[in-house]
């Protein structure tokens, strides 16, 4: 039988996407955590871009495992091979979901720029840009849902868009609690309950270990950037 191993880093949101998809599909998998600051040789040869996640697929004990790289490719592979679809069946809807997953990646890039901001002025600019992105998301949710409630991005059914945004919203917990930095406000009427629903979803909770909040806090403190000075 095929064995799957997800090569992971404790803070990586793209690793979390793959872990969430595996868990939602009920697929058993092992994890191997690596230190990106001290990459093992086997990882350097297995990962063409030097990045996590990797999904290692072993058919038997004899041949070398196949290493899939890029989270989007990994989750699409799981869609192709495993039960419990996380994409809609309608092609237009499916394409729209893929586009919002790209949007989630752009938000992650914005989060990277935010925590790397060297000064408070740049931090303010990046904060405003991210608020604008969450407002764009809010407007899309509002346009699609009308007066009905959406639990997840597409309603009651958990999708890969949710797997992409669960790790995005997780950053906000630390930004709010440790740096008093708020990217969402009361105008995000649909984004806020969606964020709460994702935080309560077992697959999203289990995508990290219990030391994640401390590790992220430590990572932000060690950055030595504007956000570091906001964390005591
Ligand atoms: N497009 C990639 C992004 C993955 C990525 O950026 N991984 C980061 C950690 S979150 C990484 O491995 N960085 C190491 C590096 O860039 O050298 C994906 O979706 O898998």
């Amino acid at each position: 039988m095929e064995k799957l191993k997800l090569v992971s880093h404790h803070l990586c949101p793209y690793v979390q996407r793959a872990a969430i998809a595996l868990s939602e599909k009920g697929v058993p998998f092992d994890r191997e955590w690596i230190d990106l600051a001290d990459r093992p040789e086997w990882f350097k040869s297995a990962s063409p871009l030097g990045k996590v996640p990797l999904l290692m697929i072993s058919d038997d004990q004899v041949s070398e495992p196949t290493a899939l790289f890029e989270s989007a490719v990994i989750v699409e592979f799981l869609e192709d091979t495993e039960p419990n679809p996380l994409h809609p069946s309608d092609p237009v809807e499916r394409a729209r979901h893929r586009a919002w997953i790209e949007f989630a990646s752009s938000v992650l890039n914005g989060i990277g720029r935010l925590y790397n901001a060297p000064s408070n002025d740049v931090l303010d600019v990046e904060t405003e840009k991210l608020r604008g992105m969450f407002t764009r998301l809010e407007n899309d949710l509002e346009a699609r849902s009308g007066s009905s409630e959406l639990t997840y991005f597409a309603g009651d059914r958990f999708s890969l868009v949710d797997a992409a945004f669960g790790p995005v919203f997780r950053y906000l917990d630390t930004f709010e609690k440790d740096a008093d930095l708020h990217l969402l406000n009361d105008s995000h009427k649909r984004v806020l309950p969606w964020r709460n629903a994702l935080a309560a979803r077992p697959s999203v909770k289990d995508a990290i270990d219990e030391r994640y909040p401390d590790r992220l806090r430590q990572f932000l403190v060690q950055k030595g950037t504007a956000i570091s000075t906001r964390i005591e």
Side-chain angles (χ1 to χ4, degrees):
M1 204 179 93
E2 219 171 49
K3 282 188 74 177
L4 300 178
K5 182 169 78 179
L6 186 63
V7 180
S8 304
H9 176 266
H10 285 292
L11 291 178
C12 181
Y14 297 96
V15 166
Q16 292 176 48
R17 289 182 187 184
I20 293 167
L22 283 157
S23 160
E24 287 291 336
K25 285 177 174 293
V27 180
F29 66 105
D30 294 323
R31 279 185 104 159
E32 177 150 1
W33 302 93
I34 65 155
D35 180 358
L36 284 168
D38 183 16
R39 297 158 203 231
E41 286 307 318
W42 65 263
F43 174 73
K44 288 187 199 163
S45 47
S47 177
L49 293 173
K51 294 182 181 187
V52 287
L54 289 181
L55 186 69
M56 312 292 280
I57 309 166
S58 333
D59 275 332
D60 53 51
Q61 305 298 325
V62 186
S63 35
E64 283 291 301
T66 302
L68 291 186
F69 61 105
E70 285 296 314
S71 62
V73 173
I74 293 169
V75 298
E76 295 283 348
F77 164 75
L78 296 172
E79 277 299 280
D80 287 346
T81 55
E82 302 290 350
N84 306 329
L86 296 169
H87 260 328
S89 55
D90 176 71
V92 175
E93 268 303 286
R94 197 160 60 239
R96 210 176 62 77
H97 277 223
R98 289 187 175 121
W100 281 102
I101 292 169
E102 277 301 306
F103 188 89
S105 300
S106 280
V107 175
L108 288 174
N109 291 338
I111 287 175
R113 287 193 302 273
L114 180 140
Y115 63 59
N116 284 313
S119 66
N120 283 326
D121 285 351
V122 179
L123 181 68
D124 288 348
V125 169
E126 295 303 337
T127 299
E128 279 316 307
K129 280 192 202 158
L130 280 166
R131 285 186 180 138
M133 292 185 93
F134 284 118
T135 298
R136 187 69 192 76
L137 183 59
E138 174 72 28
N139 294 343
D140 182 78
L141 293 176
E142 183 181 5
R144 280 187 303 112
S145 66
S147 57
S148 59
E149 302 255 319
L150 294 175
T151 306
Y152 300 114
F153 179 77
D156 289 340
R157 230 183 132 138
F158 191 94
S159 73
L160 288 173
V161 183
D162 298 295
F165 274 96
V168 167
F169 293 137
R170 206 191 305 278
Y171 277 103
L172 308 196
D173 300 340
T174 296
F175 291 165
E176 289 168 6
K177 183 168 157 287
D178 293 330
D180 194 22
L181 183 69
H182 300 261
L183 300 177
L184 298 179
N185 58 41
D186 290 345
S187 73
H188 297 108
K189 291 186 173 50
R190 288 167 181 79
V191 175
L192 284 166
W194 179 31
R195 170 191 176 180
N196 293 338
L198 291 183
R201 184 90 179 177
S203 65
V204 176
K205 287 206 261 189
D206 295 345
I208 50 158
D209 72 10
E210 70 285 354
R211 288 183 56 204
Y212 173 93
D214 284 343
R215 289 185 209 272
L216 181 55
R217 186 175 188 284
Q218 191 66 8
F219 169 80
L220 295 174
V221 168
Q222 285 174 351
K223 277 267 143 199
T225 55
I227 200 168
S228 316
T229 63
R230 298 173 66 116
I231 303 174
E232 288 174 4

